[in-house]
Amino acid sequence: MATSELARPDLPTFADLLRSFPGQARLALGTRGVLWATFAGIVGVVCCVVAFAAIGLSLHGSDIDPERRKARDVLTLDSASRLLMRSILASSSAGQATGATPIAGAPWRNFTESLVTLCRDFGLAPQTALAATCAAQQDFIDLLGREIRALDSDRKPIDAAALRHLLQLRDEITELSLSTTRTADELIGNLIDEFIVALLVLTLSTIGFVCAGLVLILLVGRTSMDYHAQWRRAAEAAQEAGASRDMLSEVVEALPAGVVVYDAGEHLLICNSVARTLTPALRRPDAIGRTYSELAHDSARGLEAAGMGPQPVQEWIERFRSRTTLRTRQADDGRWFDWSEKGTPGGLTVGLRVDVTDIKQHEFALEKARTEQANARARYQSLVDTMVDVAYTLDVETGKFTFVNAAVADLFGVPPEKFVGSHFLTHIAPESIDRVRSQTTREYRPDDLGTFARFSMVAAGGAVRNVEVRARRWVDDQGRIVSTGVIRDVEERVQLERRLDSEMNRLRSIVESGGALIVLVDRALNVAMVNSGFTALTGIPAADAVGRPLQDILPCPLNPERTKRSRFAVKRRDPSGRERLIAITATPATDADGAVSNIMLLGVDDTERREAEQALYNAERFATVGEMAGTMAHEISQPLQVINIACASALDEFAVALERGDQPDPAFVQGKLDRIAQQVEQASRIIGDLRAFVRGTSSNTSEPFDPNEAVRRAIDLTGHGVREAGMTLQEGLNPQLPTVLGDAGHLAQVLVNLINNARDAGGAAISIATGTVQENGRTFVRIAVEDSGHGIPSEILPKLFTSFVTTKPSGKGTGLGLRICRRILEEMGGRISAANRAEGGARFEIILPS
């Protein structure tokens, strides 16, 4: 609640303070107190003036500073003259001795400077000692200076007259020193006397000032005590008034109605928070103290600015002054208030604003209810009639329908007005009556969650249709148990579900009867479904496989981010312990965003086919060995011939040595033996390459090897046959090739097959080269085999690496070589491609990961 406040006056000026000070002092001290304070002030001021005057006179009466400077200069001259006399006596007694201290130096300079300073600063009177010397100081200094310089340079004694003058000056200096000392003593005595008088005056002044101060303190203390007593009485009165005011404020603020109080001049004195909420003008900081007319005009301007049109301000003022009219008005926040004003015997006007919002809203609600009550059932009926499902209300005790919507005619072929009153069991199909009766006759409980059931009902024309019923029971105002729900025709959905189950069973039978391994995994590579073929190959039941990570039961190189179909082969032992080779095709399924959602793995047992293919491959390899038999004989015959010649040469050397009776040449024999060893090693290498080729493998495990070694081995095995065909075999090997992972013998077999195919294609030359290539940031080894033959026919090129496809004449090729070459390279993680060269001939390119 806000209350009126006294207006604070402006800050007074210094002149105002001076003019008001006598009156304020008289009010605080009284007339007698003002007289005593004035007398004490005058005494204090007089004492201060007398004390300062005494101190000033004592300071001006003393002339000690000039005398002190004069005594200091006399003492300096006396000291310099003594030093000069000692220097002269020392020089005179030293005679012609060397090393004597020169008098014309520091002693003479200090003496002359002290004499000049004393004579210049003080101007000695004629009757004073040294007056005559100061009058003729320059002549005296020049005369005595010449004598002293002569004494220093020529050791000539000082003139007697000059020396007497100097001694006379020394006596005058002594006399002046004594005179100065006496004068200083007299000045100090006078100064002490003057300071004693000044101290006495200062003491008396201080006593007078203290007495005046005590009088003022007593007056101020008495005034303060009177003021404190008055302040305490005023504080108690103010506390009582504040308590009364606070109590009144709390009472007014606690009222649920708005309260405003105006004085006789219609100025606002008090208003509570409810009143400020109703009247925006009362929210202003300066509202207290303003008249009702001003506040009314401010409120009208605010309402008109808010777009509420012209306001009857004059009518408000007249109603306020009449203090009899009661009116109802709506506030900004939507609440309704009754406004009234009433006068008091003291001339105040009390305004009351009572909140009648609840009453007003109740009146509006009653009016609205009366308006809508007539149309409520029509709107409800219209709403439920738009539903496709049948909405109903059922009296559980009688089992009869009390309300249905228009959809009942579509489902049951009966108008709603005829359907109401029928028993619900008459519409249930015979096969569902017992189940429906058990659900509808159960005991009612308030926490019943309702009913959701699917059963058969007799529809229009006597047809039996499947329906879903959702219902809930409750107790109406009359205490009857009522069931309200909807009936939905789901016959078409049931038929679809049945067809879907049939299709799923048929699909399941197809999946199970295919004989292939089928696994469905999700994006996280967890198994979602397996078929019986999976269980047959792995021995893992479907119940144990579903939900497990695929890598735990069937490790395979599967990338869940890859959206394209991929193929790979994995090895796994079957329940009998036999190792099986399974060829798997992984087909990803993507969602609407293109991300992989599931992956279908289709696996085929490729063991028998691979074994048969391996047998055919071995047969073709043995046929190739037969073709290379002549090559091997030629290759081995050359080392044997060299060995034979080397042995014959060594034996001849031994025979010649025996005939001479001498030892054979060791270097010669050693060279022949080394050559024999080299040829034996070459023959062993050729036989080893042939043995590895015949066996088909040199190791059962993959390991890193140099691809150039496999190329050289293939060149050694096929070189003679190429030369016999009249062709040249050119090689371009990169010595900086990285290693690859796999089997060097298998790669050599692939290259032997490609070189033999190039030889059979005719042409004049075959070239084989190695190098590296970058793909997707990785390094790969590339091996290229090219020939200058007739090339590959265009109709065979797309299917060149499939089984039983060959470009050789009938009876010469099986068509399995390139198919097997591709399988070997795929097992090493690589690939092979073929193309025709623009200049003629074919080009085969092998890519292997480093």
Side-chain angles (χ1 to χ4, degrees):
M1 181 184 71
T3 58
S4 62
E5 296 181 358
L6 294 176
R8 294 182 178 178
D10 296 334
L11 291 176
T13 62
F14 183 71
D16 295 335
L17 290 176
L18 291 178
R19 283 194 297 269
S20 63
F21 180 76
Q24 296 291 337
R26 189 181 306 108
L27 179 63
L29 301 177
T31 304
R32 186 178 299 176
V34 171
L35 293 176
W36 276 103
T38 304
F39 174 74
I42 293 172
V43 171
V45 172
V46 170
C47 291
C48 289
V49 172
V50 171
F52 286 124
I55 293 173
L57 292 175
S58 65
L59 293 177
H60 287 287
S62 63
D63 197 12
I64 191 172
D65 286 341
E67 293 298 331
R68 186 172 54 185
R69 289 197 301 273
K70 180 179 179 181
R72 184 176 63 249
D73 292 344
V74 170
L75 291 176
T76 301
L77 179 59
D78 182 52
S79 176
S81 65
R82 291 175 185 275
L83 180 59
L84 178 63
M85 292 302 295
R86 283 198 298 267
S87 299
I88 292 173
L89 292 176
S91 297
S92 299
S93 62
Q96 300 298 325
T98 60
T101 303
I103 304 172
W108 174 249
R109 185 172 57 253
N110 293 337
F111 172 76
T112 57
E113 290 177 355
S114 300
L115 180 61
V116 171
T117 300
L118 181 62
C119 293
R120 183 186 66 241
D121 292 342
F122 297 101
L124 301 176
Q127 66 277 11
T128 308
L130 293 182
T133 302
C134 288
Q137 60 175 338
Q138 189 62 42
D139 295 339
F140 171 75
I141 291 173
D142 294 341
L143 174 62
L144 188 58
R146 287 193 299 270
E147 295 296 330
I148 289 175
R149 285 192 292 274
L151 176 62
D152 284 339
S153 60
D154 301 334
R155 297 301 175 181
K156 181 181 179 182
I158 298 177
D159 182 65
L163 185 57
R164 282 194 303 269
H165 195 181
L166 179 61
L167 293 175
Q168 182 182 357
L169 178 61
R170 178 71 185 89
D171 295 337
E172 293 175 355
I173 292 173
T174 301
E175 182 182 355
L176 181 60
S177 176
L178 294 175
S179 174
T180 302
T181 302
R182 288 192 300 269
T183 303
D185 292 338
E186 293 175 358
L187 288 175
I188 291 174
N190 295 332
L191 182 61
I192 292 174
D193 295 337
E194 292 175 357
F195 279 177
I196 291 174
V197 174
L199 182 60
L200 180 60
V201 173
L202 182 60
T203 302
L204 295 176
S205 300
T206 302
I207 293 173
F209 185 79
V210 169
C211 292
L214 290 175
V215 172
L216 291 176
I217 291 173
L218 291 174
L219 291 174
V220 173
R222 177 177 173 276
T223 304
S224 298
M225 293 175 63
D226 294 341
Y227 174 78
H228 179 72
Q230 294 176 5
W231 175 82
R232 185 172 57 187
R233 290 193 296 271
E236 292 174 355
Q239 185 175 5
E240 294 175 359
S244 301
R245 184 180 64 251
D246 293 341
M247 182 177 65
L248 178 61
S249 300
E250 292 177 0
V251 171
V252 173
E253 190 68 27
L255 291 175
V259 177
V260 292
V261 179
Y262 294 87
D263 61 9
E266 298 184 356
H267 293 89
L268 179 65
L269 298 178
I270 299 174
C271 65
N272 64 353
S273 58
V274 178
R276 288 195 295 272
T277 303
L278 297 175
T279 306
L282 298 181
R283 303 170 194 167
R284 296 179 52 176
D286 59 346
I288 300 299
R290 304 187 69 192
T291 63
Y292 179 82
S293 178
E294 294 174 347
L295 295 174
H297 283 88
D298 289 344
S299 297
R301 283 193 292 270
L303 295 175
E304 292 172 359
M308 302 182 68
Q311 300 295 318
V313 181
Q314 196 61 36
E315 180 182 342
W316 295 350
I317 297 174
E318 293 177 357
R319 179 196 56 77
F320 172 80
R321 292 173 178 172
S322 65
R323 297 180 178 88
T324 56
T325 306
L326 177 69
R327 69 187 181 98
T328 302
R329 181 178 172 187
Q330 189 176 17
D332 295 343
D333 56 0
R335 291 186 296 172
W336 291 86
F337 288 85
D338 282 343
W339 290 51
S340 62
E341 282 79 22
K342 186 174 181 62
T344 65
L348 301 177
T349 301
V350 179
L352 191 64
R353 286 82 171 104
V354 181
D355 189 351
V356 294
T357 304
D358 294 339
I359 300 175
K360 202 71 175 177
Q361 289 180 349
H362 185 63
E363 293 176 357
F364 291 156
L366 290 177
E367 183 179 356
K368 185 177 180 181
R370 287 193 298 269
T371 303
E372 294 182 354
Q373 186 174 9
N375 301 324
R377 186 169 182 83
R379 289 198 304 269
Y380 176 73
Q381 187 69 44
S382 175
L383 176 64
V384 297
D385 286 345
T386 60
M387 297 175 58
V388 178
D389 300 333
V390 176
Y392 71 91
T393 301
L394 179 70
D395 188 344
V396 176
E397 295 181 359
T398 62
K400 295 182 179 180
F401 291 100
T402 59
F403 170 80
V404 291
N405 64 343
V408 72
D410 299 332
L411 180 59
F412 296 98
V414 180
E417 58 272 12
K418 293 184 179 181
F419 197 85
V420 172
S422 62
H423 199 280
F424 75 96
L425 288 179
T426 60
H427 304 284
I428 306 300
E431 62 270 17
S432 301
I433 287 180
D434 294 338
R435 183 159 56 92
V436 173
R437 182 184 287 113
S438 64
Q439 293 181 352
T440 56
T441 57
R442 69 183 186 275
E443 184 181 356
Y444 169 75
R445 295 190 308 173
D447 58 349
D448 191 355
L449 299 179
T451 301
F452 174 75
R454 178 182 291 184
F455 48 84
S456 301
M457 298 187 72
V458 180
V464 177
R465 299 183 69 84
N466 289 282
V467 297
E468 278 184 359
V469 176
R470 297 177 183 267
R472 189 167 186 174
R473 296 189 295 174
W474 51 284
V475 179
D476 62 4
D477 298 338
Q478 300 176 2
R480 296 178 301 179
I481 301 176
V482 179
S483 175
T484 302
V486 293
I487 303 173
R488 175 173 295 179
D489 185 4
V490 294
E491 180 65 25
E492 294 181 359
R493 189 171 70 186
V494 170
Q495 297 299 330
L496 288 176
E497 290 176 354
R498 290 174 179 173
R499 286 200 298 271
L500 180 61
D501 291 340
S502 176
E503 293 296 331
M504 288 296 296
N505 292 331
R506 183 164 56 186
L507 178 62
R508 186 74 184 179
S509 63
I510 294 173
V511 171
E512 295 293 342
S513 63
L517 175 148
I518 298 177
V519 180
L520 180 66
V521 298
D522 57 19
R523 179 177 175 80
L525 300 185
N526 294 321
V527 177
M529 185 198 74
V530 297
N531 68 339
S532 57
F534 171 84
T535 303
L537 285 176
T538 63
I540 302 175
D544 296 340
V546 173
R548 294 176 57 185
L550 177 65
Q551 300 298 332
D552 292 349
I553 58 178
L554 193 66
C556 55
L558 196 61
N559 184 7
E561 302 295 335
R562 183 180 176 89
T563 59
K564 295 183 179 180
R565 180 180 298 178
S566 60
R567 295 182 177 87
F568 50 86
V570 297
K571 293 181 180 180
R572 183 177 176 87
R573 295 190 180 276
D574 61 11
S576 64
R578 181 185 178 187
E579 186 175 69
R580 294 280 183 175
L581 182 65
I582 304 174
I584 296 178
T585 301
T587 304
T590 58
D591 54 18
D593 297 331
V596 176
S597 57
N598 296 94
I599 302 177
M600 176 66 74
L601 303 179
L602 177 63
V604 179
D605 188 358
D606 206 28
T607 306
E608 285 77 8
R609 186 190 65 79
R610 186 62 61 87
E611 290 176 351
E613 184 180 85
Q614 186 66 32
L616 290 175
Y617 169 66
N618 291 336
E620 181 166 326
R621 188 172 68 254
F622 286 129
T624 303
V625 171
E627 295 179 2
M628 293 190 300
T631 300
M632 293 299 102
H634 175 76
E635 293 294 334
I636 295 175
S637 65
Q638 289 182 353
L640 292 177
Q641 290 177 2
V642 174
I643 293 171
N644 187 23
I645 294 173
C647 289
S649 298
L651 292 175
D652 291 342
E653 177 63 22
F654 277 105
V656 172
L658 289 174
E659 290 179 356
R660 292 197 310 265
D662 194 1
Q663 295 293 330
D665 186 0
F668 179 79
V669 175
Q670 182 65 38
K672 297 303 179 180
L673 292 177
D674 291 341
R675 186 169 181 79
I676 292 172
Q678 292 175 358
Q679 298 303 316
V680 170
E681 182 180 357
Q682 181 178 358
S684 298
R685 180 174 55 79
I686 295 173
I687 294 172
D689 291 344
L690 181 60
R691 183 184 295 114
F693 186 80
V694 171
R695 289 179 179 177
T697 180
S698 60
S699 175
N700 291 327
T701 59
S702 298
E703 57 185 13
F705 66 92
D706 185 3
N708 286 330
E709 292 297 328
V711 175
R712 294 189 187 96
R713 185 183 300 179
I715 292 175
D716 291 342
L717 293 174
T718 58
H720 180 72
V722 172
R723 290 191 296 273
E724 286 292 326
M727 304 172 67
T728 59
L729 181 58
Q730 302 173 355
E731 61 178 82
L733 305 184
N734 183 356
Q736 303 297 327
L737 279 185
T739 59
V740 297
L741 187 64
D743 191 300
H746 285 172
L747 182 59
Q749 295 170 17
V750 172
L751 294 174
V752 166
N753 188 286
L754 295 179
I755 294 174
N756 288 338
N757 288 345
R759 181 198 61 192
D760 296 339
I766 301 173
S767 66
I768 182 168
T770 61
T772 58
V773 64
Q774 298 289 328
E775 293 184 4
N776 298 326
R778 293 183 57 189
T779 302
F780 290 82
V781 173
R782 180 176 60 188
I783 304 174
V785 179
E786 298 180 351
D787 63 67
S788 58
H790 50 71
I792 304 171
S794 58
E795 66 276 6
I796 295 179
L797 186 60
K799 53 184 178 179
L800 185 62
F801 293 99
T802 58
S803 300
F804 307 109
V805 174
T806 180
T807 58
K808 297 180 182 180
S810 178
K812 188 172 182 180
T814 62
L816 294 175
L818 293 179
R819 171 69 178 84
I820 296 172
C821 289
R822 188 182 73 174
R823 178 179 60 79
I824 291 174
L825 295 174
E826 287 178 350
E827 290 178 353
M828 295 176 65
R831 64 180 186 271
I832 185 172
S833 60
N836 287 320
R837 301 170 62 203
E839 59 271 23
R843 172 188 174 88
F844 287 83
E845 186 176 75
I846 297 172
I847 301 296
L848 294 172
S850 62

